[in-house]
Amino acid sequence: MVAAGLMAGAATGSASAQTSAKQLFGAQKLPANLQSRAIGSYAKGCQAGAVALPVDGPAWQAMRLSRNRNWGQPVLIDFLEKLAVDARAHDGWNGLLVGDIAQPRGGPMITGHASHQIGLDADIWLRPMPEQRFDMKERETVSAISMLKNGTRSVDPSKFTSAQFRLIKRAASTPGVARIFVHPGIKKALCDMAGNDRAWLRQVRPWYGHYYHFHVRLACPPGNPGCKDQAPPPAGDGCGKELAWWLSDEPWTPKKPDPNKPPVKKHVMTLADLPDACQAVIAAGPTPGATVASAAVGSAPYVPIEDDAPVAALPKPRPLVN
């Protein structure tokens, strides 16, 4: 099946190859009927054989369904389902509200993220899931909640509590997690709350935004030779000089343009800029039986995915403080 898809991709016309990649991938409503595979890098790639995170599960709800971005590689969907169930059982977290994962065939998005292209990235809200199930309208309009004090780079302890701490720690402690991105103020809170168990903090990296959600990024799964991992994060817990820089004014002060340099026109990524295998992903037929997320609210029963290479078991229950 993969070989046939690659042949189809090779036959893709040059006109299609030069079309804006975000337009091509944004127009795809269903995943490619190919073997599951992450292709390329997190910000320059695509995905084959994606599966959908069910819009409702025993301990999660998918949000912003109109975007049709609840598609990922099986290893990521497996991770999210297990994280949701274990966090409810052991960490006092009622359930996950899951935001963007990826488009059905990955690739660049018309709006939003530069990454989330290969089915290994997911955004998890830091707002706990309520007992009730949101309807379609609520999934589009209910807001995530900032964890910061108004006008500061510090967390509000009435919002960012030990429950959020334990959820992020559980995710970051899971084998196969390459990065977790959070606002620098949240990273500072995690550093302060971590105690002596600090190895997991290396995976948690400060980045712009991410004050109402955290971004999980998995490493490339085995058997995905075309998937390009990020370099490992620097050694240590990341709570020293790097974090101090993020909490200073420098990262947040816009740089003044150099009047002696002409403005650089932003390159529009095309299909030709992506790995060759992404042409096969665009050319492939849709996965039989797959449906867009917006058609499933309140009607699709939860069925666990079957994965030949599940992620490692999530961490065991942790003490309340740590």
Side-chain angles (χ1 to χ4, degrees):
M1 182 185 297
V2 173
L6 290 173
M7 291 177 64
T12 300
S14 59
S16 176
Q18 296 303 320
T19 302
S20 167
K22 65 182 180 181
Q23 298 294 336
L24 285 173
F25 283 93
Q28 301 296 324
K29 303 302 181 186
L30 295 172
N33 187 24
L34 299 169
Q35 180 180 343
S36 295
R37 182 181 170 199
I39 301 166
S41 60
Y42 300 97
K44 193 176 183 179
C46 61
Q47 64 169 334
V51 295
L53 176 73
V55 298
D56 290 298
W60 71 83
Q61 298 181 54
M63 304 297 287
R64 303 298 189 259
L65 301 181
S66 65
R67 299 176 182 176
N68 197 30
R69 295 176 180 175
N70 64 319
W71 301 90
Q73 288 298 289
V75 67
L76 176 62
I77 304 306
D78 194 32
F79 166 83
L80 292 170
E81 294 183 1
K82 289 180 178 178
L83 175 65
V85 171
D86 280 12
R88 168 179 278 184
H90 305 306
D91 301 324
W93 193 258
N94 189 52
L96 302 183
L97 296 176
V98 182
D100 287 352
I101 301 175
Q103 299 176 134
R105 304 189 187 203
M109 298 180 182
I110 294 174
T111 61
H113 316 276
S115 61
H116 289 255
Q117 293 194 27
I118 60 176
L120 297 176
D121 295 282
D123 289 342
I124 300 173
W125 289 17
L126 287 164
R127 173 177 179 162
M129 186 182 84
E131 292 295 337
Q132 78 270 19
R133 291 284 162 171
F134 293 130
D135 61 23
M136 272 295 297
K137 181 179 180 181
E138 289 169 326
R139 290 176 197 242
E140 300 299 323
T141 59
V142 168
S143 297
I145 297 173
S146 171
M147 297 290 108
L148 305 181
K149 294 178 183 176
N150 289 338
T152 77
R153 298 176 197 134
S154 301
V155 300
D156 183 338
S158 69
K159 297 176 181 176
F160 190 86
T161 70
S162 59
Q164 279 86 0
F165 169 84
R166 292 194 302 271
L167 174 64
I168 296 174
K169 181 176 182 179
R170 175 170 293 278
S173 301
T174 304
V177 170
R179 293 282 199 289
I180 288 182
F181 298 105
V182 297
H183 186 277
I186 293 177
K187 171 72 175 188
K188 177 65 164 59
L190 296 172
C191 292
D192 292 345
M193 298 168 74
N196 294 326
D197 182 8
R198 307 184 70 82
W200 59 276
L201 286 167
R202 181 186 180 191
Q203 313 302 332
V204 183
R205 314 307 300 178
W207 197 249
Y208 300 101
H210 299 87
Y211 47 84
Y212 61 89
H213 73 280
F214 66 99
H215 174 163
V216 176
R217 172 170 293 167
L218 298 191
C220 292
N224 283 240
C227 181
K228 297 181 180 179
D229 274 312
Q230 231 178 321
D237 61 14
C239 296
K241 291 183 179 179
E242 178 190 7
L243 180 57
W245 179 82
W246 275 104
L247 294 171
S248 72
D249 290 337
E250 185 176 350
W252 314 96
T253 304
K255 293 182 179 179
K256 295 181 179 179
D258 186 341
N260 298 317
K261 292 184 178 180
V264 178
K265 185 178 180 180
K266 186 176 181 181
H267 173 69
V268 177
M269 191 178 296
T270 67
L271 184 59
D273 292 320
L274 301 180
D276 290 344
C278 291
Q279 295 185 26
V281 171
I282 285 293
T287 301
T291 59
V292 297
S294 58
V297 175
S299 62
Y302 165 64
V303 179
I305 66 170
E306 295 182 3
D307 185 4
D308 293 334
V311 295
L314 292 176
K316 299 297 182 183
R318 298 182 178 278
L320 185 63
V321 174
N322 286 340

